Amino acid sequence: MNRSTFITTTAALVCAGLLAGGAAAKDVAGSKDHPLVGRYTGSEIIDYKSEAFNEHRFIIAPVDFKTDGEAFTDGNSIKVEGKITDIRYNAPKDRSSLEIIHNYEESLKSKGFETVFSCANDTCVKDKSSPYRMSFAAGDGQINYRYGDGVRYLLAKASKPEGDTYAAVFLGDNKTGPLVHVIVADVKPMQSGQIAFVDAGAMAKSISASGHVALYGIQFDFDKADIKPESRPTLDEIAKFLKANSEVALVVTGHTDGKGGFDYNVDLSKRRAQAVAADLAQHYGISASRLTPFGAGMSAPIASNDDDAGRAKNRRVELVKR
């Protein structure tokens, strides 16, 4: 091995060695590094969240905050579904964000990742906006001061037979020390078929016995009140029940999980309930006077909101006998 090769190889090993797994004494309880990404040596986890299945938008181009605000579109980002791991670290105060991002680049490359997009400061934005607004892309809007002295961003992708992995690293510069925000999406299909189909007969039995029935077959796009086409079989059964029981009037109640703001979820659940009532009136001729839309938001959970399984149970439409 010649001297040049030795120096290059040694430098790569040093960079990779500065990114390693292993918990620090001050990590938040229950947290851990993503096995493919690791952490910069000496960093401590200050926030951690892992979801078995959700979606996330990753920035793939400079953002035009003047035009788009904090709305990230198909022009500047991609939406990925799968297992989402979200980790924030406080990095050592005596290390620069440039050194840290280079370590992540070297480490990810050694594990088969390819860079999709990277930027620093002004190259992260299209307009004259301050780069600190990239904190909103990281979900760090409430602590955007951590990006006040500069920002660096890296998105890398590893393609594997079992599914792709996207790893994003945001680095905020501040006098309090670098903030490292790692967001990883392990792409995989949703575990489907987990919600039982409720037909008109089962609706009648549940409403007769308890005064209400919970339905999971009515699906909506993420953060929207648009009814998805796969909801039609359940809507058909609601219409059958209502036509067979012409004396019954219902409160159509929308429920959300515990993620997001309270008022936002109340409004979202009400709009979803209104969409269901409107669909029943428009497509099946059900009198609007028999249907009262109501948004309960996150106020009536039937399971814990601390995990995906519980949140899935809480996202529902209930028919309540008036």
Side-chain angles (χ1 to χ4, degrees), residues 18-124:
L18 287 172
L19 245 76
K26 295 183 181 180
D27 286 353
V28 296
S31 65
K32 59 182 179 180
D33 301 317
H34 190 281
L36 291 180
V37 181
R39 76 173 73 193
Y40 187 87
T41 297
S43 300
E44 297 173 343
I45 298 177
I46 59 173
D47 190 51
Y48 175 85
K49 181 172 65 175
S50 179
E51 298 176 292
F53 187 86
N54 209 330
E55 64 181 15
H56 185 80
R57 277 197 173 272
F58 291 103
I59 300 301
I60 58 170
V63 182
D64 188 344
F65 286 103
K66 184 176 182 180
T67 300
D68 299 328
E70 275 79 52
F72 300 104
T73 67
D74 290 339
N76 58 30
S77 62
I78 54 171
K79 183 171 70 173
V80 177
E81 294 182 344
K83 180 179 180 181
I84 308 297
T85 304
D86 192 309
I87 314 171
R88 291 180 180 85
Y89 299 89
N90 276 338
K93 292 182 180 181
D94 61 345
R95 299 297 183 181
S96 71
S97 62
L98 180 62
E99 179 183 10
I100 295 170
I101 202 73
H102 279 342
N103 272 271
Y104 275 103
E105 288 171 340
E106 289 284 347
S107 179
L108 289 170
K109 183 178 180 180
S110 72
K111 297 169 185 173
F113 282 81
E114 295 183 355
T115 298
V116 177
F117 176 63
S118 64
C119 65
N121 299 321
D122 292 343
T123 63
C124 293

Side-chain angles (χ1 to χ4, degrees), residues 51 257-259 304-315:
E51 298 176 292
D257 59 30
K259 296 181 66 177
S304 170
N305 276 303
D306 294 335
D307 55 49
D308 291 333
R311 287 190 288 269
K313 289 181 180 179
N314 291 332
R315 295 190 297 268

Side-chain angles (χ1 to χ4, degrees), residues 47 122 150 231 251-252:
D47 190 51
D122 292 343
S231 307
V251 179
V252 181

Side-chain angles (χ1 to χ4, degrees), residues 92-290:
K93 292 182 180 181
D94 61 345
R95 299 297 183 181
S96 71
S97 62
L98 180 62
E99 179 183 10
I100 295 170
I101 202 73
H102 279 342
N103 272 271
Y104 275 103
E105 288 171 340
E106 289 284 347
S107 179
L108 289 170
K109 183 178 180 180
S110 72
K111 297 169 185 173
F113 282 81
E114 295 183 355
T115 298
V116 177
F117 176 63
S118 64
C119 65
N121 299 321
D122 292 343
T123 63
C124 293
V125 294
K126 277 187 175 180
D127 53 29
K128 300 295 183 180
S129 298
S130 172
Y132 87 87
R133 294 188 71 180
M134 282 290 285
S135 62
F136 291 97
D140 292 327
Q142 292 182 330
I143 52 171
N144 59 24
Y145 69 91
R146 295 293 301 269
Y147 292 74
D149 294 338
V151 60
R152 297 184 186 276
Y153 172 72
L154 167 69
L155 175 64
K157 175 185 177 182
S159 297
K160 309 186 299 294
E162 64 271 24
D164 297 338
T165 294
Y166 288 83
V169 181
F170 291 88
L171 268 154
D173 261 338
N174 187 265
K175 61 184 179 182
T176 60
L179 171 73
V180 180
H181 191 167
V182 172
I183 306 172
V184 184
D186 293 299
V187 179
K188 64 177 183 179
M190 176 183 66
Q191 186 178 5
S192 60
Q194 300 301 297
I195 304 301
F197 178 70
V198 180
D199 62 19
M203 292 179 197
K205 288 180 181 178
S206 181
I207 289 174
S208 176
S210 63
H212 70 101
V213 61
L215 304 176
Y216 294 92
I218 301 177
Q219 302 292 313
F220 301 90
D221 285 323
F222 179 71
D223 270 359
K224 294 182 180 179
D226 302 320
I227 299 174
K228 300 180 80 170
E230 53 264 39
S231 307
R232 188 56 54 194
T234 297
L235 291 165
D236 289 344
E237 296 300 314
I238 298 173
K240 286 181 186 178
F241 165 75
L242 287 168
K243 289 179 179 179
N245 299 272
S246 57
E247 77 288 355
V248 173
L250 299 172
V251 179
V252 181
T253 309
H255 294 266
T256 66
D257 59 30
K259 296 181 66 177
F262 181 83
D263 291 339
Y264 175 82
N265 277 299
V266 169
D267 177 68
L268 176 63
S269 62
K270 183 178 180 180
R271 288 188 287 115
R272 288 178 170 178
Q274 290 171 334
V276 173
D279 187 277
L280 290 168
Q282 179 180 350
H283 287 94
Y284 303 97
I286 305 299
S287 172
S289 64
R290 297 176 64 192

